[in-house]
Amino acid sequence: RAKRQGRNTWQWYGADKAEHSRHSVTLRHELHTALKENQFELYYQPLVDAVTGRMRSVEALVRWHHPVRGMVSPAEFIPLAEQTGQIVPLGLWVLRQACQEMAEFNGRRERSLRVAVNISSLQFIRDGFLDDVFRILEETGLSPQLLELEVTESVLIDGVEHVIKLMEALKDRGIRVALDDFGTGFSSLSYLRDLPTHKVKLDRSFVQNTATDRRIAAIVQGVITMAHHMDMMVVAEGIETREQQEDLARRHCDILQGYLFARPMPLAELCLLPEILPANSNE
Ligand code: C2E
Ligand code: MG
Ligand code: MG
Ligand code: MG
């Protein structure tokens, strides 16, 4: 199953194998409890227009309030949940919660915000996923135009044709798809040609190094230009400094996301944000 694993795999943790498996057995069991006992919460991080700073959408990011260990990072438990299949019920919970919370949130605002939800490859290509999405939209009342699904290139691992069909069906309903962490997977530009996606999200490993690495800058510029020619928007993830903000804006990147504007936050805090976010490194 190694080929399925992304960047944040257990292999990377460096400790010995037995320790790993003990830890993951515990975590797996605890994930099960967490699902039953509702220990998850969604945080939301704004994405802003690169020119005006106006909030365009938010990304839902799951948080686990572990009763003993405190906040556990999704970088730690999502890969495990993917290995055990628990990502399926967890992912459904996330999708429903995000749609429900944003339907309510938008009901109290003049201008609606779109919400982007991360979908694991496993979840995306699983039978019945589209029906789940359509049902959840109906049940929560969120307009399909206000939902965006973020998938990574790893979704293509078992075949491109099927994925294209799924994306077309989503698009037909007005639901958008974004390619997340672009540039970190086995990006093949020919895939990009065929995928009906609305957006590519440049991974922060690129975004944060354009100023110092000319080759990375060239890739970033190339992706932006290419995406625009394919009528896709480009998001830069992980904007932390004004220098990065200015650099990406100068390269005509459309949308920026990062700590410079806002960290992921609970819904209650999102409600207090102004429409236009000042760039103020709140580090
Ligand atoms: P992602 O989808 O690429 O999300 C962006 C990650 O970058 C988030 O980490 C966010 O907090 C972080 N980030 C945002 N701005 C900055 C910045 O300026 N600097 C730095 N250093 N980091 C920034 P987070 O919330 O820890 O999530 C990590 C990953 O876990 C996500 O990466 C996504 O792949 C996964 N994930 C999170 N929530 C979900 C979920 O509900 N379902 C699934 N399947 N995966 C999720
Ligand atoms: Mg994402
Ligand atoms: Mg990303
Ligand atoms: Mg990422």
Side-chain angles (χ1 to χ4, degrees):
R1 311 268 329 196
K3 66 168 185 173
R4 271 200 190 280
Q5 296 170 350
R7 283 183 297 174
N8 305 313
T9 65
W10 294 93
Q11 291 163 358
W12 280 53
Y13 283 29
D16 73 272
K17 281 217 166 86
E19 175 75 36
H20 268 180
S21 63
R22 264 194 306 280
H23 182 57
S24 68
V25 167
T26 313
L27 254 187
R28 177 187 311 199
H29 178 74
E30 289 177 340
L31 265 176
H32 182 75
T33 312
L35 273 166
K36 270 197 320 202
E37 297 186 354
N38 229 333
Q39 293 170 6
F40 297 105
E41 180 185 10
L42 293 187
Y43 274 30
Y44 295 93
Q45 186 180 32
L47 281 75
V48 306
D49 185 291
V51 175
T52 63
R54 183 178 289 281
M55 243 197 293
R56 300 276 302 248
S57 59
V58 292
E59 177 174 5
L61 294 156
V62 68
R63 296 292 180 260
W64 180 6
H65 301 288
H66 190 284
V68 179
R69 293 199 286 148
M71 190 102 97
V72 184
S73 161
E76 189 173 348
F77 67 86
I78 294 286
L80 181 73
E82 284 172 341
Q83 285 171 25
T84 62
Q86 287 165 311
I87 192 66
V88 173
L90 175 58
L92 268 184
W93 179 85
V94 167
L95 188 62
R96 179 182 303 277
Q97 185 77 359
C99 290
Q100 191 176 313
E101 289 188 337
M102 291 309 290
E104 273 172 40
F105 175 87
N106 282 323
R108 287 181 264 114
R109 279 173 64 95
E110 241 172 80
R111 229 179 250 262
S112 290
L113 286 186
R114 182 175 297 122
V115 63
V117 179
N118 291 286
I119 305 292
S120 285
S121 300
L122 209 95
Q123 190 188 359
F124 191 81
I125 59 176
R126 195 168 173 271
D127 284 345
F129 174 67
L130 288 187
D131 292 335
D132 289 338
V133 174
F134 301 151
R135 195 188 61 249
I136 285 173
L137 284 172
E138 233 165 72
E139 287 171 7
T140 59
L142 185 77
S143 154
Q145 282 75 25
L146 294 178
L147 179 63
E148 182 163 278
L149 304 179
E150 292 192 2
V151 296
T152 64
E153 294 151 279
S154 71
V155 78
L156 300 168
I157 219 166
D158 288 327
V160 184
E161 294 300 313
H162 180 52
V163 170
I164 292 176
K165 283 201 189 106
L166 291 170
M167 289 182 177
E168 292 287 0
L170 289 163
K171 191 179 179 181
D172 286 346
R173 295 275 187 128
I175 300 163
R176 293 164 186 245
V177 177
L179 266 188
D180 203 356
D181 300 345
F182 190 75
T184 60
F186 22 23
S187 328
S188 157
L189 296 182
S190 63
Y191 290 144
L192 208 52
R193 179 194 65 195
D194 298 324
L195 294 180
T197 48
H198 290 87
K199 252 183 209 164
V200 296
K201 297 188 76 175
L202 274 167
D203 192 68
R204 76 167 177 265
S205 56
F206 289 103
V207 169
Q208 296 183 340
N209 294 302
T210 44
T212 51
D213 188 325
R214 286 184 54 236
R215 289 177 173 227
I216 290 185
I219 295 174
V220 165
Q221 188 59 68
V223 169
I224 293 172
T225 305
M226 185 179 61
H228 285 166
H229 281 297
M230 296 179 174
D231 300 319
M232 295 181 197
M233 304 264 259
V234 183
V235 180
E237 300 184 319
I239 299 283
E240 292 180 359
T241 67
R242 276 185 183 275
E243 194 188 17
Q244 290 160 1
Q245 174 199 12
E246 281 159 15
D247 182 64
L248 271 296
R250 196 167 41 80
R251 296 179 191 281
H252 301 291
C253 182
D254 306 283
I255 299 166
L256 308 178
Q257 175 180 14
Y259 296 167
L260 182 66
F261 302 98
R263 287 177 174 266
M265 63 189 82
L267 184 65
E269 274 174 49
L270 186 70
C271 294
L272 304 175
L273 287 186
E275 295 268 346
I276 294 177
L277 295 186
N280 52 356
S281 186
N282 32 24
E283 290 310 283

